[in-house]
């Protein structure tokens, strides 16, 4: 919103909806692009997901609660797997980015659907190991991997460790030598492409913590150092990740061009066999009606065309052979498959002056179960889930229960004017980066993760309790 010299109350549009949020013809309508494919309303207006209505879920498991549609999650995983397998002549691997959301059962779903797994910490690796995920199908990321994490990864036989610094090259070399193994590695390259996304989730511009810069030659130096130690490290190729919540492939085209040139330069100069190239993830999803994500098939076709074109453009030589391509979707698989269920606790109409007012709807969750609105100014949608309503739409702001003014769940959304205490609200698009980034602010126990499928519901991650909170307090 553009600032006004006389203050915010005088700014154009203050108190009203954002320009992308139209007044709804039917406040109970569900926009299909925001919800899992199994979602519908029953005869009395209750939201149903995976064949289970949310009133029943709230009754059995309480609120707040994360609900994950297993059928939808698996279908999105298969869509990426099949689309990229069909589009890339040199072959393609899909690594599910576990940072989006990972638990033991979800790791098993990923394995069963034929995807690989990208983990970033020893904790995520431990979940993968507990699930029995094949080591060769695991990639270990992270800009500051500890020696114990690297050691555990090599002992388990992970398929790749993505190197992020010169210190880490030394660390991997030392541990691999101690274990008597050759570590399969990739080098993360900062390609200087700034994605069209929030500053904090754009990860390929130069001034940031990830990877080796291409511009000042350190990426090439990293490759030379790895190639010089064939007894402890085997360089598989280069990796790039340009950001998150990206809706077109323009940034990927420039990133691929620079990554492919580096690939060819290293192959032709050293004779190294670099069988892979990883374009990362960051594919956007629809959180609101303003977002228009590409389908997996569209992404695969466009990225395959970019990679093939860039390898042809670099001319002749050993470096022109198109390697196997990897991608790392996380949000695009888990995000739309999950929703969060809340109960309304208070409703407050606040006068803003000059005829403006705002309705605040407080729910039994907030920034402890979804930090993204506070962290990134992320927008979400929300709907009444526990009943039908033919009341007029009323613009509302859904807020959490925490002692923080920035504790906003949904900044702006139309809800029925007859919304009442005890109603259930459902927020779509929360399957990614909500439970995985959750916290215990104000000593709030974290919600459970409930899986639904074919009319059945089961707990994947149980609800935290006050006893859980106190168990770590040794005072």
């Amino acid at each position: 919103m553009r600032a006004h010299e006389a203050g915010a109350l005088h700014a154009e549009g203050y108190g009203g909806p954002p320009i992308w949020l139209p007044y709804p013809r039917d406040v109970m309508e569900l926009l299909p692009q925001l919800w899992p494919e199994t979602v519908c309303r029953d005869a009395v207006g209750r939201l149903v997901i995976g064949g289970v209505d949310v009133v029943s879920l709230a009754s059995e498991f309480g609120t707040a609660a994360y609900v994950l549609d297993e059928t939808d999650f698996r279908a999105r995983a298969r869509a990426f797997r099949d689309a990229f397998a069909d589009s890339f002549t040199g072959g393609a691997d899909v690594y599910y980015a576990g940072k989006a959301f990972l638990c033991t059962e979800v790791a098993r779903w990923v394995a069963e659907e034929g995807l690989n797994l990208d983990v970033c910490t020893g904790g995520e690796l431990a979940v993968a190991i507990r699930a029995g995920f094949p080591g060769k199908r695991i990639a270990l990321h992270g800009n500051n991997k500890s020696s114990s994490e690297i050691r555990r990864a090599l002992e388990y036989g992970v398929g790749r460790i993505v190197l992020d610094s010169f210190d880490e090259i030394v660390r991997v070399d030392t541990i691999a030598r101690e274990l008597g193994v050759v570590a399969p590695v990739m080098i993360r390259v900062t390609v200087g492409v700034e994605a069209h996304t929030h500053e904090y989730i754009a990860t390929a511009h130069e001034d940031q913590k990830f990877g080796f810069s291409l511009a000042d030659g350190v990426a090439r130096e990293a490759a030379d150092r790895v190639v010089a130690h064939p007894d402890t490290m085997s360089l598989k190729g280069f990796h790039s990740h340009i950001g998150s919540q990206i809706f077109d492939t323009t940034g990927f085209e420039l990133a691929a061009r620079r990554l492919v040139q580096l690939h060819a330069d290293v192959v032709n100069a050293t004779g190294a066999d670099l069988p892979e190239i990883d374009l990362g993830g960051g594919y956007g999803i629809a959180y609101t009606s303003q977002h228009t994500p590409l389908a997996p098939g569209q992404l695969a076709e466009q990225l395959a065309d970019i990679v093939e074109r860039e390898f042809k453009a670099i001319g002749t030589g050993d470096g022109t052979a198109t390697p196997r391509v990897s991608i790392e979707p996380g949000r695009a698989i888990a995000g739309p498959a999950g929703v969060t269920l809340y109960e309304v606790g208070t409703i407050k109409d606040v006068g803003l002056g000059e005829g403006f007012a705002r309705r605040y709807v407080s729910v039994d969750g907030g920034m402890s179960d979804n930090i993204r609105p506070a962290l990134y100014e992320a927008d979400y949608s929300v709907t009444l889930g526990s009943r039908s309503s033919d009341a007029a739409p009323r613009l509302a702001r859904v807020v959490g229960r925490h002692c923080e003014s920035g504790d906003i769940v949904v900044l702006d959304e139309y809800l029925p004017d007859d919304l009442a205490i005890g109603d259930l609200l459902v927020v779509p698009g929360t399957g990614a980066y909500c439970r995985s980034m959750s916290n215990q602010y104000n000593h709030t126990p974290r919600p459970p993760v409930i899986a639904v499928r074919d009319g059945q519901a089961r707990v994947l991650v149980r609800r935290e309790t006050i006893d859980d909170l106190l168990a770590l307090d040794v005072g």
Side-chain angles (χ1 to χ4, degrees), residues 307-375:
V307 170
E308 295 285 348
R309 187 168 64 248
E310 294 305 326
F311 269 96
K312 287 180 181 178
I314 61 176
T316 60
D318 293 339
T320 60
T322 303
R324 192 171 184 86
V325 173
S326 299
I327 61 158
E328 299 168 353
R331 180 198 320 266
I333 293 173
V339 306
T340 305
L341 178 60
Y342 301 104
E343 181 176 311
V344 175
T346 67
I347 300 173
K348 183 186 299 184
D349 292 328
V350 178
L352 304 178
E354 299 188 9
F356 292 111
R358 191 183 309 281
R359 172 161 289 185
Y360 282 88
V361 179
S362 296
V363 297
D364 52 352
M367 63 189 300
S368 60
D369 58 74
N370 186 358
I371 193 66
R372 295 187 70 255
L375 189 61

Side-chain angles (χ1 to χ4, degrees), residues 58-187:
S59 176
E60 182 173 359
F61 302 107
T63 57
Y66 302 110
V67 182
L68 189 62
D69 187 330
E70 180 180 352
T71 298
D72 189 87
F73 184 103
R74 287 178 177 270
R76 293 178 191 276
R78 288 194 300 272
F80 271 97
R81 179 198 68 196
D82 295 345
F84 279 80
D86 292 342
S87 297
F88 284 83
T89 58
D93 294 307
V94 178
Y95 282 77
Y96 171 69
K99 63 183 179 178
F101 172 67
L102 191 65
C103 67
T104 305
E105 185 66 9
V106 163
R108 293 185 182 124
W109 295 353
V110 172
E112 289 166 1
E113 297 302 338
L115 273 63
N116 298 344
L117 181 62
D118 160 17
V119 300
C120 295
T121 65
E124 290 179 356
L125 178 60
V127 172
I129 294 172
R130 184 186 188 196
F133 206 98
K136 292 296 184 184
R137 291 165 56 191
I138 296 174
L140 177 63
H141 276 272
N143 68 295
N144 186 23
K145 308 174 193 68
S146 68
S147 294
S148 61
E149 289 171 332
I150 293 170
R151 183 177 298 274
R152 187 69 183 102
L154 290 176
E155 289 173 340
Y156 193 64
V158 301
R160 63 171 68 163
I161 295 176
V162 182
L163 300 173
D164 203 271
S165 67
F166 289 117
D167 294 325
E168 197 165 85
I169 292 176
V170 174
R171 200 170 296 162
V172 171
D173 172 64
T174 300
I175 296 170
R177 194 174 304 278
E178 291 173 0
L179 295 175
V181 300
V182 177
V185 300
M186 298 191 80
I187 292 173

Side-chain angles (χ1 to χ4, degrees), residues 13-101:
Y14 185 79
I19 59 174
W20 53 263
L21 182 64
Y23 187 85
R25 293 173 298 177
D26 178 4
V27 74
M28 300 295 287
E29 180 184 6
L30 301 174
L31 299 180
Q33 67 268 33
L34 305 184
W35 298 91
E37 290 188 2
T38 70
V39 163
C40 62
R41 292 192 186 274
D42 65 14
V44 293
R46 295 176 301 191
L47 196 75
V48 178
I49 177 172
V52 187
D53 71 83
V54 297
V55 174
S56 298
L57 289 171
S59 176
E60 182 173 359
F61 302 107
T63 57
Y66 302 110
V67 182
L68 189 62
D69 187 330
E70 180 180 352
T71 298
D72 189 87
F73 184 103
R74 287 178 177 270
R76 293 178 191 276
R78 288 194 300 272
F80 271 97
R81 179 198 68 196
D82 295 345
F84 279 80
D86 292 342
S87 297
F88 284 83
T89 58
D93 294 307
V94 178
Y95 282 77
Y96 171 69
K99 63 183 179 178
F101 172 67

Side-chain angles (χ1 to χ4, degrees), residues 255-274:
R257 180 174 304 145
R258 294 174 178 175
L259 208 62
V260 165
Q261 187 61 61
L262 176 64
H263 174 102
D265 290 345
V266 171
V267 169
N268 291 328
T270 68
D273 177 25
L274 304 184

